[in-house]
């Protein structure tokens, strides 16, 4: 049993290291296509979000998130912030996308990194042996968290890595907040999670793994900035502006 535990621990450490590498890579990748519009996130993650429309299906906040009326959208964002600790990662990812598209990009970075954390938290605490297959809620959510990250990341990280000092503060904030484990069973009904005795140590390891990203943002920012310039990412995203989210 000790040997199995050690292997499991090594695999988790490797996955956390790869996460840091992937985040940096998404910020440095050249645009996916020459005509990529950096100000509009063009993605489709079935059944939760389709940028065409947009179409949103993440539950109670879907209509407001999809609204073309900015006042209705902002009212929905305000309601979501009141219920922040209970938001699921699909709700947060879609919120981040819509905030970005409507110009509230600094706020969208915080939502995106919170969504990323809660998505990975879902993945490591999910009982993958009991998540089912295509059509089962656990299976669909498990794959959705990876899809959202891979598809949305190049846009929001492309913008966020333009100010690594601010990004480091956001990541530290998300890390601190992520140490509180939400009621996953209430947030994701019908999904089977690991024994609750495993939740705290597994989540602590996930949060601690973010230290590598925070260190990279503080210690390697000159190297990252140089590479962003060389790959055209700085020119593509540096012109984007950000509106202040109204306080309510």
């Amino acid at each position: 049993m000790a040997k199995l535990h050690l292997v499991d621990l090594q695999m988790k450490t490797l996955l956390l290291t790869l996460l840091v590498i992937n985040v940096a890579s998404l910020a440095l990748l050249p645009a996916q296509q020459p005509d990529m519009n950096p100000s509009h996130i063009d993605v489709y993650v079935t059944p939760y979000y389709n940028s065409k429309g947009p179409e949103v299906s993440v539950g109670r906040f879907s209509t407001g998130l999809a609204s073309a009326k900015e006042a209705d959208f902002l009212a929905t964002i305000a309601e979501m912030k009141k219920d922040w600790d209970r938001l699921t990662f699909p709700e947060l990812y879609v919120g981040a996308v819509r905030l970005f598209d409507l110009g509230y990009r600094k706020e969208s970075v915080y939502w995106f990194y919170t969504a990323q954390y809660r998505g990975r938290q879902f993945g490591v605490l999910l009982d993958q042996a009991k998540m089912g297959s295509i059509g089962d809620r656990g299976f669909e959510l498990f794959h959705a968290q990876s899809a959202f990250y891979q598809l949305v990341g190049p846009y929001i990280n492309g913008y966020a890595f333009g100010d690594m000092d601010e990004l480091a503060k956001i990541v530290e904030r998300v890390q601190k907040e992520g140490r509180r484990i939400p009621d996953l069973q209430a947030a994701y009904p019908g999904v089977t999670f690991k024994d609750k005795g495993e939740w705290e140590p597994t989540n602590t390891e996930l949060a601690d793994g973010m230290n590598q990203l925070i260190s990279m943002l503080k210690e390697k920012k000159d190297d990252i900035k140089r590479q962003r310039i060389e790959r055209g990412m700085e020119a593509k995203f540096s012109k984007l502006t950000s509106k202040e989210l109204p306080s309510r």
Side-chain angles (χ1 to χ4, degrees), residues 27-223:
L28 298 173
L29 282 173
Q32 293 174 318
Q33 52 190 21
D35 59 348
M36 172 190 181
N37 179 0
S39 66
H40 174 67
I41 300 176
D42 187 11
V43 297
Y44 178 37
V45 180
T46 182
Y48 307 102
Y49 183 74
N50 187 345
S51 59
K52 302 297 188 292
E55 297 176 2
V56 178
S57 181
V58 292
R60 54 198 168 132
F61 298 112
S62 297
T63 300
L65 286 172
S67 179
K69 297 180 179 179
E70 192 162 346
D72 291 346
F73 167 76
L74 290 174
T76 299
I77 290 295
E79 287 302 310
M80 292 176 76
K81 291 182 74 171
K82 292 177 183 177
D83 209 16
W84 188 255
D85 290 342
R86 295 176 56 202
L87 297 180
T88 64
F89 71 83
E91 290 174 325
L92 286 160
Y93 267 123
V94 174
V97 170
R98 295 291 289 141
L99 283 163
F100 190 91
D101 283 354
L102 291 173
Y104 300 96
R105 298 190 174 98
K106 290 183 179 179
E107 182 73 13
S108 78
V109 174
Y110 171 54
W111 283 59
F112 172 75
Y113 273 84
T114 302
Q116 182 183 322
Y117 188 94
R118 291 192 192 178
R120 295 191 180 278
Q121 183 185 63
F122 174 91
V124 297
L125 296 181
L126 174 72
D127 187 340
Q128 295 184 27
K130 299 178 181 178
M131 70 179 182
S133 57
I134 295 174
D136 292 314
R137 183 167 168 77
F139 180 92
E140 299 293 345
L141 284 165
F142 179 75
H143 289 281
Q145 55 97 11
S146 177
F148 268 118
Y149 170 70
Q150 293 292 336
L151 294 173
V152 177
Y155 292 90
I156 296 187
N157 276 327
Y159 171 79
F161 271 71
D163 187 347
M164 281 171 277
D165 290 334
E166 180 64 23
L167 180 54
K169 293 177 183 178
I170 290 173
V171 175
E172 287 176 328
R173 179 182 177 185
V174 170
Q175 180 190 48
K176 180 179 179 180
E177 293 174 350
R179 294 186 186 280
R180 301 192 305 268
I181 304 175
D183 186 346
L184 297 174
Q185 292 167 326
Y188 306 98
V191 175
T192 302
F193 292 94
K194 296 177 181 177
D195 185 273
K196 280 195 174 182
E198 299 182 47
W199 287 20
E200 186 172 346
T202 301
N203 187 63
T204 296
E205 190 175 347
L206 180 64
D208 289 347
M210 297 180 74
N211 289 331
Q212 297 177 49
L213 176 57
I214 294 167
S215 296
M216 182 189 72
L217 290 168
K218 293 180 177 181
E219 299 169 10
K220 303 292 184 181
K221 58 184 178 181
D222 291 339
D223 291 337

